[in-house]
């Protein structure tokens, strides 16, 4: 496995563990603690949440990144007490060892969950209007689970936002950058002594 993927797997698990701890310690986020149950049904939305020990999570994610098959469970990417949202991420194996990512953001309102999501995708078939690295809105996950509280009128194939990515590694970093901000990604790149032209462009306006 490449240095990039090895460090990326540990980075994702660190984010997950840090935000899971915050669900226990930050008063306004404690209502989301129930998301850690595995499996869990939230508003009719069935998902397997990554709730295992950190060492096992790192090992399982390393195995997936080394040999992508199926999809990962959801990891807790971000927990924002100011905006009262939690965001989950999972990775999806595609043909030729490519990896897409999808994020689902959830907000608890009056005891019910409302949500939205996006998928980060590789170029699709030649001639297809989505034949470029892109981000698109979703109402359901890759395996067909409807996001709780999502508005039925929301589109699922457009708009498609361009990503200046050229690999699964850069695609996943784009998804993290979208929800966690530039500083988290910048610190990760510096700490692991990694270089990426796409990530440099992503962070350029943040310097």
């Amino acid at each position: 496995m490449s240095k990039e993927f090895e460090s990326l797997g540990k980075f994702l698990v660190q984010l997950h563990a840090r935000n899971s701890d915050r669900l226990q310690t930050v008063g306004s986020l404690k209502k989301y603690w129930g998301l850690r149950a595995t499996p869990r049904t939230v508003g009719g939305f069935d998902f397997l949440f990554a709730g295992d020990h950190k060492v096992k999570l790192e090992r399982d994610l390393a195995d997936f990144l080394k040999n992508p098959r199926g999809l990962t469970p959801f990891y807790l990417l971000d927990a924002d007490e100011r905006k009262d949202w939690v965001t989950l991420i999972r990775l999806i194996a595609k043909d030729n060892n490519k990896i897409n990512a999808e994020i689902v953001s959830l907000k608890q309102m009056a005891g019910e969950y409302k949500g939205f999501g996006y998928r980060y995708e590789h170029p699709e078939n030649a001639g297809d209007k989505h034949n470029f690295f892109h981000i698109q809105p979703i109402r359901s996950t890759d395996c067909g689970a409807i996001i709780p509280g999502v508005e039925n009128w929301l589109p699922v194939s457009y708009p498609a936002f361009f990503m200046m990515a050229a690999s699964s590694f850069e695609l996943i970093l784009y998804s993290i950058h979208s929800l966690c901000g530039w500083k988290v990604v910048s610190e990760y790149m510096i700490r692991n002594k990694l270089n990426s032209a796409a990530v440099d462009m992503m962070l350029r306006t943040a310097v």
Side-chain angles (χ1 to χ4, degrees):
M1 181 169 57
S2 68
K3 176 184 177 182
E4 287 84 359
F5 271 148
E6 181 178 359
S7 62
L8 182 60
K10 292 180 179 179
F11 179 46
L12 266 178
V13 172
Q14 288 167 359
L15 288 174
H16 171 77
R18 182 191 312 164
N19 286 296
S20 293
D21 288 344
R22 297 183 71 242
L23 297 191
Q24 280 188 297
T25 58
V26 179
S28 60
L29 295 175
K30 288 183 178 180
K31 61 186 176 183
Y32 295 107
W33 181 245
L35 289 173
R36 286 178 54 87
T38 307
R40 176 77 177 181
T41 300
V42 176
F45 175 56
D46 296 315
F47 64 87
L48 178 65
F49 188 79
D52 294 313
H53 190 275
K54 184 177 177 181
V55 174
K56 184 178 186 303
L57 292 180
E58 288 184 354
R59 183 173 64 247
D60 290 348
L61 187 51
D63 289 343
F64 176 87
L65 293 171
K66 186 185 303 181
N67 186 28
R69 293 291 183 275
L71 45 80
T72 70
F74 279 103
Y75 299 88
L76 185 54
L77 182 62
D78 188 51
D80 189 334
E81 69 272 21
R82 293 171 302 170
K83 298 182 175 65
D84 195 21
W85 286 94
V86 295
T87 299
L88 312 173
I89 184 173
R90 77 168 160 199
L91 308 181
I92 305 161
K94 308 304 287 186
D95 295 337
N96 301 316
N97 289 328
K98 296 175 182 176
I99 300 173
N100 287 346
E102 64 183 6
I103 64 100
V104 173
S105 287
L106 298 172
K107 185 182 187 73
Q108 193 180 107
M109 302 172 62
E112 296 185 354
Y113 280 97
K114 303 293 184 182
F116 65 91
Y118 288 92
R119 189 171 297 123
Y120 297 70
E121 298 188 326
H122 278 74
E124 297 178 1
N125 297 329
D128 190 287
K129 64 190 300 184
H130 285 181
N131 190 26
F132 59 96
F133 280 89
H134 64 280
I135 310 163
Q136 67 182 59
I138 57 174
R139 293 200 303 264
S140 61
T141 68
D142 189 73
C143 58
I146 303 298
I147 297 172
V150 69
E151 297 290 345
N152 291 330
W153 55 263
L154 285 174
V156 294
S157 61
Y158 65 90
F161 302 101
F162 171 73
M163 281 189 293
M164 190 174 289
S167 67
S168 295
F169 172 73
E170 293 175 346
L171 180 152
I172 296 168
L173 280 182
Y174 259 93
S175 67
I176 296 172
H177 178 272
S178 298
L179 276 301
C180 298
W182 67 271
K183 190 174 183 180
V184 170
V185 174
S186 178
E187 289 173 350
Y188 159 73
M189 296 295 289
I190 293 170
R191 183 170 61 251
N192 291 281
K193 300 179 181 179
L194 299 175
N195 295 298
S196 163
V199 177
D200 287 346
M201 182 67 69
M202 188 192 311
L203 300 174
R204 180 172 294 177
T205 58
V207 176

